[in-house]
Amino acid sequence: MNRPLLFLDVDGPLNPYAAQPERRPAGYTTIRVPRPAAPEDDTGFPSRRRPLRVWLDPEHGRVLLGLGFELCWATTWRDDANRWIAPVLGLPELPFVDFGEDLFRERPDGVHRKTGPLVDHADGRPFAWVDDEQGEPDRAYVSAHHRGAALLHHVSPRIGLREDDFRALTAFARALGTP
């Protein structure tokens, strides 16, 4: 049996970006990711952009690898997650879902712009999706358009993935018969 997919968002689940800005959560390390050069500002000078602060818990990689899923990035970081995030977590290079232009289109029905491409990518295969932005419209969409088992697991961007989240993912994988 193929292992179920685990679609991983970075900002929120792995990087608790909404935590108090002056207080890095216990166990997390800080990385600074350079941002691309910004266009000129109103003064005609190139604007300086500060590097993006990202908090990551290196222990998450070991735990994620032991859950019984095939891991896949489902993030606006796309392949950059392999460059900046995976090494800190001790993850191998992972495939990523390329959301294409869907990533920049808001849907009038309230379904998150990632939801349709993730369902298409899974192609009927069981999956779990950890993100801080899914809601009821996404659950309804997945229920109507995905023929396999699915778990949409919301993670608070204030605290990131925690032990309870890993337990929920483990229970889902076990219910599918994943060792």
Side-chain angles (χ1 to χ4, degrees), residues 5 70-74 78-79 82 92-97 121:
L5 290 163
E70 181 180 317
L71 305 179
C72 182
W73 296 119
R78 298 179 181 169
D79 194 39
N82 285 317
E93 185 170 319
L94 301 176
F96 67 97
V97 177
H121 187 90

Side-chain angles (χ1 to χ4, degrees), residues 3 7 9 18-19 22 24 26 48-49 53 57-58 61 81 83 86 102 104 109 112 114 130 132 161 165-166 168:
R3 294 181 300 161
F7 292 124
D9 184 27
E22 68 282 352
R24 180 176 62 205
R48 296 263 181 215
R49 295 181 75 183
R53 177 210 27 108
D57 183 342
R83 178 177 179 197
D102 289 339
F104 306 105
D109 59 3
H112 194 281
K114 291 180 185 177
V130 293
D132 62 315
L161 284 167
D165 302 306
F166 293 124

Side-chain angles (χ1 to χ4, degrees), residues 46-69:
S47 63
R48 296 263 181 215
R49 295 181 75 183
R50 295 171 62 170
L52 180 64
R53 177 210 27 108
V54 179
W55 286 330
L56 298 170
D57 183 342
E59 187 64 18
H60 283 166
R62 182 190 63 75
V63 176
L64 288 165
L65 289 170
L67 291 176
F69 288 88

